[in-house]
Each structure stands twice: as C-alpha cells, then as structure tokens.
C-alpha cells in the first residue's frame, strides 16, 4: 500500500525517520534550513520499486553503517526498508546526475501487445502529447526508449510483487527508459503502445 504515497510524503517520511533514528544529518543554511538530502528520481504514485536512491549529507561521521541501517529500518513505516547503504566521496556526482535510465516491468491488458512492441521498436519517431505549465507539446520520445520487449513471469518472479504470480494481469513487458533531459514516464510509453 506504500506505493500510493506521493513523492513529497515519502520525503517527509524520510525526514521523520532520520530524526527518529538520531542520524546526524547536515542542515542547509538560509532562512528555512532543511535536512541535506536528495532523491535520485521521483517514483510515480502507484508504482512499486525495488530500489529508490537517497543522498544524505551527514554533519558527523558515522562509524558503524550496519548499526545505522538497523536504526533506520526500525524507524521506517511498514512497506519501506533500507536495502543498502554506502559512504560516498565528496567528488562523486549526485544521484540525480548519476541515474540515466530505469527499468520498468509492466503488465498491459490490450490487444496485440507484441505487435505494438514490434511497431514501436521499428519506428524512427514516436510522438506523444505532453502537458507542461498548462501548454500541450508534441514530443518525439523514441530516442529515450533504450529497450522494449516482452517479459515473462519466470524471468522476473524474484522481483515481481507476490500477488502478480499466478494471476493473469495482461502481457508483461520490460522497458528501459532514459531519465536524462526530458525523461520518459512509463505512462507515456503505454500511451505510445
């Protein structure tokens, strides 16, 4: 159910979790200081993810990262967990710059999904309408589709939600979409299909 939590609410959950776990997070300067943390990408509301990335700048060094993971896990709500942690050097790029593509596994209940995948893969241009700041623009998203093909339950059984296994939810597809520049939303790919 946590997938129905919006990105801003997830950010607030992390702020409370970091405070509750007594993590020494650095604060920004200025009129309204905030915790120094940044998310890699905003996950669309309703989507589930195996890996969400978060940069946190600490005010003091933390000696025991395993203890920090345990404290964070105990402070997070049900449905969220720390799956990994590492210390980053000051010269490393931010997550927003480092993540250039995401892999999506989606179930589509429509006619001739494989034919539409072939059509889209063969196309040199794929146009979708996008609304931005109250204006509708027509953009070619083809260059942002790095991979698009059918997927099977067997190859993704270790990562798909348990309720997907054994149920018919349409045809599974796997897509690798760029996030750099004007990235592609999974809903835009579905619209193009």
């Amino acid at each position: 159910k946590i997938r129905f939590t919006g990105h801003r609410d997830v950010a607030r959950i992390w702020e409370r979790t970091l405070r509750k776990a007594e993590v020494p997070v650095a604060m920004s300067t200025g009129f309204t200081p905030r915790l120094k943390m940044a998310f890699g990408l905003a996950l669309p509301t309703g989507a589930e993810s195996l890996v969400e990335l978060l940069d946190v700048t600490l005010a003091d060094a933390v000696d025991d990262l395993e203890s920090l993971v345990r404290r964070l896990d105990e402070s997070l709500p049900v449905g969220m967990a720390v799956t990994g942690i590492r210390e980053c050097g000051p010269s490393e790029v931010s997550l927003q710059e480092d993540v250039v593509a995401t892999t999506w596994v989606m179930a589509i209940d429509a006619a001739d999904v494989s034919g539409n995948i072939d059509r889209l893969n063969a196309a040199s241009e794929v146009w979708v309408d996008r609304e931005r700041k109250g204006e509708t623009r027509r953009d070619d998203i083809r260059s942002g589709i790095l991979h698009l093909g059918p997927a099977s339950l067997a190859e993704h059984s270790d990562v798909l939600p348990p309720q997907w296994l054994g149920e018919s939810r349409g045809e599974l597809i796997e897509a690798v979409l760029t996030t750099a520049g004007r990235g592609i939303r999974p809903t835009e790919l579905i619209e193009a299909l």
Side-chain angles (χ1 to χ4, degrees):
K1 292 182 179 179
I2 196 82
R3 71 182 183 271
F4 297 112
T5 305
H7 177 69
R8 289 181 189 221
D9 292 323
V10 170
R12 285 188 208 100
I13 288 170
W14 273 106
E15 287 175 7
R16 286 192 301 270
T17 297
L18 291 164
R19 286 187 180 111
K20 186 176 177 183
E22 299 178 352
V23 177
V25 180
M27 299 293 288
S28 66
T29 57
F31 189 69
T32 54
R34 300 199 182 280
L35 296 176
K36 282 193 172 181
M37 62 179 203
F39 291 85
L41 297 167
L43 186 67
T45 303
E48 294 183 48
S49 175
L50 297 176
V51 178
E52 289 302 298
L53 304 173
L54 172 67
D55 278 333
V56 178
T57 303
L58 301 179
D60 300 318
V62 174
D63 297 330
D64 185 7
L65 291 180
E66 293 306 315
S67 169
L68 178 59
V69 168
R70 190 178 64 256
R71 290 192 336 251
L72 288 170
D73 267 342
E74 290 169 356
S75 302
L76 281 167
V78 174
M80 294 177 74
V82 176
T83 58
I85 190 170
R86 75 177 183 92
E87 186 175 352
C88 300
S91 63
E92 289 187 59
V93 297
S94 71
L95 289 171
Q96 194 68 33
E97 296 171 302
D98 201 31
V99 177
V100 295
T102 54
T103 301
W104 295 88
V105 177
M106 299 173 271
I108 300 179
D109 189 13
D112 196 25
V113 173
S114 60
N116 287 333
I117 288 173
D118 292 341
R119 177 188 52 79
L120 204 107
N121 281 331
S124 60
E125 297 176 332
V126 177
W127 294 93
V128 295
D129 292 327
R130 291 176 160 174
E131 189 170 323
R132 195 164 110 190
K133 297 183 180 178
E135 293 182 20
T136 301
R137 292 183 38 184
R138 195 149 173 78
D139 290 335
D140 178 14
I141 63 169
R142 180 61 186 101
S143 62
I145 303 170
L146 304 179
H147 166 76
L148 177 62
S152 71
L153 279 174
E155 67 183 307
H156 294 288
S157 62
D158 57 332
V159 296
L160 288 174
Q163 63 270 24
W164 278 37
L165 305 176
E167 285 188 28
S168 175
R169 293 182 170 259
E171 291 189 50
L172 279 186
I173 67 165
E174 181 180 72
V176 180
L177 307 176
T178 60
T179 59
R182 188 90 164 100
I184 300 172
R185 296 182 184 119
T187 52
E188 293 172 331
L189 177 67
I190 300 298
E191 177 187 329
L193 281 171

